[in-house]
Amino acid sequence: MSEIHLRFTQKITNLYLSNYPLSEYQEFLLRIIYRLRNQEYSWRRVSLYLNESGLKSSRGKQFTPNLVSQIIKKNQIRIKRGQNDYDVKLSNFYFEFK
């Protein structure tokens, strides 16, 4: 019995290739923040609500208006990453017969 091995080089070009999954806690915080923003809470009011509820950031910090806005901004970038097309190029093909 023979074996055929195919070898090649693959190059994937994308600025936003890494996209780590959110933790359950991060998803929980995002749901709350989006819900409050949809109710037209300001960034300051959202941060006050989260702090008064005894919640902390995923790094254990208190919420500030700037932190809340950055959480939303980074989540929007994360969503955009999932929508990007990747430029994939295959090259240097060769076969090995064993």
Side-chain angles (χ1 to χ4, degrees):
M1 179 182 261
S2 299
E3 291 184 13
I4 301 173
H5 296 263
L6 171 64
R7 294 183 184 241
F8 59 90
T9 302
Q10 178 179 7
K11 181 178 178 183
I12 302 173
T13 305
N14 187 295
L15 295 175
Y16 305 110
L17 191 54
S18 30
N19 196 14
Y20 299 102
L22 294 174
S23 70
E24 286 183 33
Y25 186 68
Q26 289 170 319
E27 289 177 3
F28 167 73
L29 290 175
L30 276 170
R31 282 192 302 272
I32 293 173
I33 293 169
Y34 277 116
R35 187 188 78 224
L36 296 174
R37 289 293 291 167
N38 287 336
Q39 295 174 11
E40 300 186 6
Y41 278 42
S42 66
W43 296 121
R44 183 177 185 279
R45 195 166 170 205
V46 171
S47 66
L48 288 173
Y49 176 90
L50 294 169
N51 290 328
E52 289 171 358
S53 299
L55 297 170
K56 300 282 184 189
S57 74
S58 57
R59 293 187 179 186
K61 308 271 184 182
Q62 281 199 325
F63 289 95
T64 63
N66 188 51
L67 176 58
V68 175
S69 69
Q70 288 301 308
I71 289 170
I72 294 296
K73 181 180 178 182
K74 288 182 179 182
N75 189 59
Q76 290 169 344
I77 291 170
R78 168 182 290 285
I79 291 168
K80 197 174 190 179
R81 283 179 187 165
Q83 297 170 346
N84 285 344
D85 291 329
Y86 304 111
D87 183 22
V88 179
K89 293 182 182 177
L90 302 176
S91 61
N92 301 326
F93 285 92
Y94 67 93
F95 295 94
E96 288 182 359
F97 297 96
K98 294 187 177 189

